[in-house]
Amino acid sequence: MELADYLTSDATTLAGLVADGEVSATELLALARQRAAQVNPRLNAIVATLDEVADERAAGPLSGPFAGVPFLVKDLAQEYAGFATTDGSRSLADDVADEHALITQRLLDAGVVVFGKTNTPEFGAKGITEDSLLGTAHNPWRLGHTPGGSSGGSGAAVAAGIVPAAGANDGGGSIRIPAACNGLVGLKLSRGWTSYGPQHGESMFGMVTQGVVSRTVRDSAGLLDAVAGAPDGYASSVTRRPDSFLATLDERPAGLRIGYSSSSAINPHPDPEAVAAVEGAAALLTELGHHVEEVAPPYDDGALARDFLTIWFAQLHGQVSEIKRRLKAPDSAFEADTLAVAEIGRAAGVGALFAALDHVHTHIRALAGFHERYDLFLTPTLAKPPLEVGSIATPKPLQAASRIIAKVHAGRLLNATGVLDQLISDNLGWVPYTQLANLTGRPAVSVPLHWTAAGLPLGVQLVGPLASDALLLRVAAQLEEARPWFGRYAELDPALERTA
């Protein structure tokens, strides 16, 4: 197989070629590494390599639906035994996993050959991938822009053709945001269907899900077949997932009731490209026979954002405290933004956390009421095109001040300054649509239907009721068939490349 053939094959095709004996896993691994050598120095998508174990695995007997397919896992909550999982933090740089994470094991059971780990911001805390330990990841469509986050390294690697799919996870949009920024498919699973552990239990009170980003719907469906499903005895998992997402893709849904909106209290003026993306998707869905109409947002996204960040800050405070206790990590092992946010979470106290958790019920009821009238909710995935690298970085003087505030436990003072509202504006203002699915536990998928005039992807998102994951994938497949996107990947041709 030539590199050009590899770049134009999805994981399902590659697995079929391996099964038929037309190409070997070792040959595919060599092609993935060849492509990585061409583009990763400019992308910084892959931040660690697993060369020896990958070579050994590719040379040995493999089984499973994706046997022999090169793959990358995210350097956050997708532990690979014998290697450190840094979560983008110096505090975990030497924290070697003694066993695979469940999602990693399930991917290996499906036959993939993991040969590296992908870039992520510290603890996955941002919708961009700019990290003091791992460096900045770049968007392969325009290197001066972000590939999103927190699974930005995975998104960039897939969009550039290093691998056809890669591991990702999503606590506030971290699968869907990179999918939208890189022209990919990304499904956040329903709560209770995500594989977690054994290193950790439910993260962020069930708001985080594991998954993948890919270039085709069938790859996402097949890989989610392999990884979806919580461990035995998982108390929150009360609904059985379908036997196969992939097997249902040929069923084309008809006559769905779909409400769409680009409105946001966090960002009252979304970019015209975001509005065009959702209106274009609404028109296409109408052509496909669905009943589509513009609606008022079924929830208060400003209130939801405050609740989301209150929960996230409390989670981060607990995470930082546990790492300090377990590894004796000093403050200098954490980024200034992390310390400040963790201090805000500490200062807010248990009362604020429990109030936010109680408000989750209100958000769930609002969305459930909407889904009594509409099958799906359609929004842009992003409120503006992928940001320029560094555009929302915290200025160095403020970073220094944040370290002092964290050290003297002045979080209450920080809260009194209205910093939470500023964080909502800066960090969620360009991605105000994605936290809804995490807070309510509902599934949501981003599909690459729109490209800006500047040549950047900007996806659209569909949110469904609980356990409607298979329906979302069927609609995504219907959209992919009507407006194919797989043949488009970022070539990174130096003669054509634009860096700003």
Side-chain angles (χ1 to χ4, degrees), residues 196-207:
Y196 72 87
Q199 289 85 357
H200 312 286
E202 268 193 311
S203 184
M204 282 186 68
F205 305 91
M207 289 164 55

Side-chain angles (χ1 to χ4, degrees), residues 170 173 175-177 179-180 184-190 212-214 216-217 220-221 224 249 281 285 376-382 433-434 437 442-449 459-465 468-477 479 485:
D170 192 319
I175 287 174
R176 291 158 289 150
I177 294 167
L184 306 175
V185 179
L187 174 73
K188 174 222 165 282
L189 287 163
S190 289
V212 299
V213 288
S214 75
T216 64
V217 176
S220 281
L224 290 172
L249 288 189
L285 286 162
L376 301 175
F377 180 43
L378 169 67
T379 73
T381 310
L382 315 172
Y433 310 107
T434 55
R442 270 50 186 172
V445 66
S446 181
V447 292
L449 285 179
V460 297
Q461 171 184 243
L462 288 156
V463 181
S468 66
D469 309 53
L471 173 62
L472 289 174
L473 286 168
R474 290 198 299 273
V475 174
L479 292 168
W485 54 68

Side-chain angles (χ1 to χ4, degrees), residues 402-424:
S402 295
R403 290 190 177 277
I404 294 171
I405 288 168
K407 188 175 183 63
V408 301
H409 297 298
R412 290 187 182 277
L413 175 63
L414 202 59
N415 274 329
T417 67
V419 69
L420 183 58
D421 292 323
Q422 190 61 45
L423 286 166
I424 290 173

